[in-house]
Amino acid sequence: MTSVLGDDFISIVDEIERNRNISKEQLSQLLDGHEAEELRQRAVFVREKIYGKNVYIRGLIEFTNYCKNNCYYCGIRRNNKNIARYRINEAGILACCAEGYRLGFRTFVLQGGEDEYFTDERLCRLIGSIKAGFSDCALTLSIGEKNRESYEAYFQAGADRYLLRHETADDDHYRRLHPAELSLTNRKECLQNLKDIGYQVGAGFMVGSPGQSVDTIYEDLQFLRELQPHMVGIGPFIPQHDTPLAQETAGTCNMTVTLLSIIRLLLPHVLLPATTALGTIDPTGREKGLLAGANVVMPNLSPRDVRGKYALYDKKICTGEEAAECIACLKKRVENIGYSIVCDRGDYK
Ligand code: 5AD
Ligand code: FES
């Protein structure tokens, strides 16, 4: 006779995989962690069936840390007077792309705070220059909430993908993490607009943020099921010392990894990064993420002199390395766990 616990477990995971849905009770059981290993194996199986052992790389260019917003968790919030602000100009950004291209990157991610210096006109010119110089590359934007017309203009200019984490799909929780001037309604509308325009879209949330519960995570997962994004970015919340949430506890590697596996079962084809925050909370966090269903890593291509200044959270890794060192290190880490980095655009399958 097989163990009752084992049988129960198989049926939960089977059910989640078959229905591509999860109940609050099932979520709660999986977050308990007892079935972590079986869940992990199933997520890896699903991931390998679709993407094999390939790991896609995205070159992250953190081009401005100016931000007009004041999110309670984020180190580049406008009220933080203790960080040195910077912007990389167009020539500097193109130089990052050229170095990235040489190193094998075929996707660039322009990420920044909501910086009004970068008007739509400047952004469209920048997007045009990148796509003209690197026509076989995908360009991803991660520059926050804009109106529909702006999103359309960037898309016309050549942007392919857009990352905008929803942060939490629960209204009260959203208000606990953001000042009143920001709303979940607007966030969701932005994501819908992006999808309607034709971008490959990424949503996501922090794991273990203050006020998060099984209920709010359940809502996050239901929101992801409805939106059907091409990418989902999740990473542990890590307190930043100059923010209102400085004294809160960080999210854990285990819980992040469990959620990566669950997301892989709910959205089998999703592009799922093992994030820098996961590598920060645990020295082998990114490897653990890849071994739980993640299939993307996003090394930093920003110039070394600005890296420490893009301080969303404390103790961020990879701030001292050159891009080439970072990718060499990551390549070795990925190969050590039996996967391999591929140098193509890595589009959604
Ligand atoms: N800890 C972890 N992740 C953070 N982010 C912002 N601040 C923090 C923090 N303190 C994440 C947010 C944002 C992404 C760019 O970085 O989810 O969407
Ligand atoms: Fe950046 Fe290892 S991945 S130094």
Side-chain angles (χ1 to χ4, degrees):
M1 210 177 100
T2 50
S3 86
V4 173
L5 203 139
D7 285 352
D8 269 1
F9 168 70
I10 299 290
S11 70
I12 297 178
V13 176
D14 274 344
E15 236 182 286
I16 296 169
E17 200 184 339
R18 199 173 46 238
N19 301 336
R20 298 198 180 166
N21 200 356
I22 188 168
S23 69
K24 207 178 276 184
E25 293 66 37
Q26 289 170 330
L27 174 63
S28 171
Q29 272 179 277
L30 292 178
L31 289 176
D32 273 351
H34 299 300
E35 299 92 350
E37 181 53 23
E38 289 86 342
L39 172 66
R40 186 190 75 73
Q41 286 180 16
R42 189 68 67 95
V44 166
F45 183 80
V46 169
R47 170 252 206 264
E48 291 188 0
K49 213 164 48 179
I50 300 166
Y51 290 102
K53 300 216 177 257
N54 286 347
V55 173
Y56 299 103
I57 47 172
R58 284 49 170 114
L60 186 63
I61 303 169
E62 297 161 334
F63 70 104
T64 172
N65 73 349
Y66 283 87
C67 191
K68 69 175 161 88
N69 290 335
N70 223 355
C71 306
Y72 300 145
Y73 46 84
C74 185
I76 66 168
R77 64 200 303 272
R78 71 163 182 264
N79 279 10
N80 186 3
K81 306 290 182 236
N82 293 331
I83 56 164
R85 303 281 172 172
Y86 73 90
R87 295 186 178 100
I88 312 179
N89 64 18
E90 182 166 322
I93 294 169
L94 288 167
C96 292
C97 295
E99 169 71 351
Y101 194 90
R102 194 182 68 78
L103 294 169
F105 289 87
R106 294 298 177 268
T107 290
F108 303 118
V109 182
L110 285 183
Q111 185 173 94
E114 292 194 18
D115 178 0
E116 284 173 328
Y117 169 85
F118 285 98
T119 57
D120 287 354
E121 199 188 322
R122 286 197 172 107
L123 285 166
C124 287
R125 209 187 52 204
L126 173 63
I127 294 163
S129 308
I130 295 175
K131 291 296 283 195
F134 309 92
S135 58
D136 55 339
C137 295
L139 181 57
T140 306
L141 301 179
S142 179
I143 52 176
E145 298 179 15
K146 310 272 180 178
N147 60 39
R148 186 175 171 125
E149 293 67 43
S150 300
Y151 286 151
E152 275 165 356
Y154 313 150
F155 191 73
Q156 286 299 317
D160 304 280
R161 307 179 185 144
Y162 206 104
L163 305 179
L164 184 72
R165 291 188 178 178
H166 63 283
E167 311 297 358
T168 172
D170 178 273
D171 262 307
D172 291 330
H173 189 210
Y174 201 90
R175 281 191 290 272
R176 168 115 193 240
L177 300 176
H178 304 93
E181 71 232 32
L182 294 171
S183 79
L184 178 57
T185 310
N186 193 56
R187 198 81 174 172
K188 286 181 172 173
E189 198 176 305
C190 286
L191 281 162
Q192 196 55 55
N193 283 337
L194 289 162
K195 214 168 174 218
D196 293 345
I197 291 166
Y199 284 96
Q200 292 178 43
V201 170
F205 56 91
M206 293 177 289
V207 176
S209 63
Q212 189 175 61
S213 63
V214 175
D215 298 80
T216 66
I217 297 173
Y218 176 73
E219 288 179 63
D220 288 323
L221 299 178
Q222 292 305 321
F223 174 71
L224 293 176
R225 255 173 38 82
E226 283 159 32
L227 181 68
Q228 291 287 316
H230 305 84
M231 306 167 280
V232 173
I234 67 165
F237 160 74
I238 303 173
Q240 203 280 357
H241 63 278
D242 284 317
T243 62
L245 301 179
Q247 301 308 321
E248 303 288 338
T249 355
T252 65
C253 179
N254 278 344
M255 187 155 168
T256 307
V257 164
T258 298
L259 283 165
L260 285 170
S261 296
I262 293 173
I263 292 167
R264 172 61 64 199
L265 296 185
L266 296 177
L267 302 169
H269 292 258
V270 79
L271 289 157
L272 196 58
T275 55
T276 305
L278 187 56
T280 298
I281 206 74
D282 182 312
T284 58
R286 285 171 301 177
E287 287 92 328
K288 289 175 182 160
L290 292 171
L291 289 170
N295 63 338
V296 173
V297 288
M298 301 173 68
N300 202 319
L301 282 183
S302 314
R304 215 174 62 168
D305 60 305
V306 306
R307 288 206 190 178
K309 298 178 192 156
Y310 201 79
L312 305 184
Y313 48 81
D314 289 342
K315 303 199 176 92
K316 193 172 163 207
I317 53 167
C318 302
T319 52
E321 283 78 10
E322 294 291 354
E325 299 174 78
C326 213
I327 183 65
C329 161
L330 206 49
K331 192 159 179 267
K332 213 177 321 158
R333 286 166 176 261
V334 166
E335 283 166 5
N336 276 342
I337 58 168
Y339 285 141
S340 48
I341 282 181
V342 291
C343 294
D344 67 34
R345 286 172 45 124
D347 282 298
Y348 184 82
K349 280 193 188 162

